[in-house]
Amino acid sequence: MTTSWTYGATELLSVTQMYSADAAAEAHGVSSLELMERAGAAITEALDANWPQGRVLVLCGPGNNGGDGFVAARLLASRGRDVTLALLGDVGALTGDAAANAEAWSGAVKALSPGLLDAADVVVDGLFGAGLTRPVEGVVCDVIHAINDRELPCLAIDVPSGVHGDSGAVLGAAPKADLTVTFFRRKPGHLLYPGRGLCGRVRVADIGIPDDVLADITPNQWCNGPAIWSSEFPRPVPDGHKYGRGHAIVAGGAALTGAARLAAYGALRSGAGLVSIASPREAVAIYRAGRPSIMVRETSDTEAFMAAVSDPRVRAVLVGPGNGVTPETRAHVLAALHGPAGCVIDADGISAFADDPNGLFDRVRGRAEETVMTPHSGEFVRIFGEDLDEGGFGRLGRARAAAALSGAVLVLKGADTVIAAPDGRAAINNNAPPTLATAGSGDVLAGFILGLLAQGMPGFSAACAGVWLHGAAATRFGPGLIADDIAACLPQVLQTLYADLGLERPLDGVPDTTI
């Protein structure tokens, strides 16, 4: 049979939700045995496409992943491939669909052993699926280490064995796969490290589960991308003006002035109509010597800062980058949260509340999606602690729990940035290149989100869009990236985004001029 592949779907299903999808497929007339047959066919096609020659070792576990492996082994053998099948446990102990497909396998069933790798050119890992709950051990651990030590090509079924589908955590050990074939939809563990680094390329096979089962499952986590926020992305209008596109204010520090300048530039590039830096008196000259497109307003104390951010034309305020962990920074955060403008709290603006997190949360709660917090892991621990989690989902669970606790949209930054809303919605970002690990890149990200908030984009969507645009701009620039380059590359990314999504171009509606 020919397998169709799903590339555009953004929903991420938890392990439990995937079980529900399987069950719902049966209610729609697709038997579990047929789903397993189609899964095995997808694995067979993927292996033949990527490793058309060589001896294949199929490793089967005692559950449905092992059943998928038995199907793949049978189909590969029918195509003339040299296939060896090894099973963890006794074939007589298999049950259900796995037992039925073991019976349909006419070849030998060998005991799992690292020695079997000696005669293998490629390995199919069907030992354990995404719902594994305890660390792998014994002979399984030995086989996994042998696969990695020998650097054998590996195709993983669903997830590499030992990787948990919800959190991406490695339970004991896991093989480093070159390719992972999963079914219907990806899981959070495919996008969260360390699991993401072990999956290799991930292909999602359509095995006949109808899309409408999602209506009952109601997934509330997605792979971040334009599909989940483009409908709310700001569209410039022909008769618009700068205040209509939003005035944003960045709180400037006296010492590390580069951070605020990077953020302000990012806010301008992401579309804010006007960006001002609120500067202490001693740094005004430095800020005014910067980009002429960025305005500078002297705010000598908290009262002056409060007056600046209380202007009804101000739509969004950023506090934190380069501000210092000081009582003044804390006061500026509280002042920004006092009014109706959207607020981004980053860096020192977060750390300033390390000794009194509830003093921050109490002010944030009730502002709906008007507040976005953007901590990296260290800043996160300072105000949320090390043990916060929701449901064992790792970074995804921590971000969700923090959003619910604080009342803010939470952007937990990293190679696998997680964006979470207080109502439980979450997105995992997967387009950030490693070149973003450079000083100032987080300041630019805060500026991108600020600029989108200033244009009226809701907090969760603004955070998701800002994170994605940040990664796309860095990818567009390529090697040698420094923070200054990220915002400079954004216009190219936006031009492509408008074209890809068929959004109204900024200049549509402007009449031609005859010279």
Side-chain angles (χ1 to χ4, degrees), residues 310-400:
S310 298
D311 186 325
R313 295 174 298 181
V314 173
R315 297 259 195 90
V317 182
L318 167 62
V319 184
N323 289 177
V325 182
T326 66
E328 183 181 35
T329 297
R330 181 182 174 123
H332 284 176
V333 171
L334 295 176
L337 292 171
H338 181 75
C343 188
V344 182
I345 308 171
D346 182 42
D348 295 338
I350 297 169
S351 296
F353 289 87
D355 61 347
D356 181 24
N358 286 325
L360 173 61
F361 305 157
D362 289 345
R363 186 65 65 89
V364 170
R365 295 188 190 105
R367 286 173 52 87
E369 287 192 25
E370 295 174 356
T371 306
V372 180
M373 296 173 60
T374 56
H376 58 54
S377 294
E379 292 157 352
F380 183 94
V381 169
R382 284 179 200 133
I383 62 168
F384 294 109
E386 296 183 354
D387 300 325
L388 190 67
D389 196 353
E390 179 184 286
F393 278 71
R395 282 172 59 82
L396 176 59
R398 290 195 289 277
R400 269 202 176 115

Side-chain angles (χ1 to χ4, degrees), residues 262-280:
L262 285 168
Y265 183 39
L268 275 177
R269 284 296 189 192
S270 65
L274 176 67
V275 179
S276 299
I277 293 177
S279 170

Side-chain angles (χ1 to χ4, degrees), residues 409-483:
V409 173
L410 204 292
V411 179
L412 180 52
K413 296 185 293 191
D416 50 356
T417 293
V418 178
I419 307 100
D423 62 9
R425 289 172 297 155
I428 304 172
N429 198 65
N430 72 339
N431 77 337
T435 50
L436 277 173
T438 185
S441 67
D443 305 320
V444 178
L445 171 60
F448 281 2
I449 298 170
L450 178 72
L452 295 171
L453 277 179
Q455 295 170 84
M457 201 172 186
F460 180 69
S461 295
C464 289
V467 169
W468 187 88
L469 292 170
H470 191 244
T475 299
R476 176 68 65 96
F477 184 87
L481 178 82
I482 61 174

Side-chain angles (χ1 to χ4, degrees), residues 160 163-164 167-170 174-175 180 189-200:
V163 171
H164 197 279
S167 67
V170 173
T180 295
H190 290 125
L191 275 68
L192 294 169
Y193 283 103
R196 176 166 146 190
L198 296 169
C199 288

Side-chain angles (χ1 to χ4, degrees), residues 97-147:
D97 297 336
N101 279 297
E103 185 175 349
W105 166 247
S106 59
V109 177
K110 298 189 176 183
L112 189 67
S113 167
L116 295 174
L117 298 170
D118 294 338
D121 297 306
V122 60
V123 176
V124 176
D125 166 27
L127 290 168
F128 297 113
L132 184 69
T133 57
R134 60 184 181 183
V136 298
E137 56 187 9
V139 66
V140 177
C141 206
D142 294 338
V143 169
I144 288 173
H145 286 309
I147 293 171

Side-chain angles (χ1 to χ4, degrees), residues 272-290:
L274 176 67
V275 179
S276 299
I277 293 177
S279 170
R281 180 176 291 116
E282 60 268 35
V284 166
I286 297 174
Y287 287 119
R288 285 181 176 163

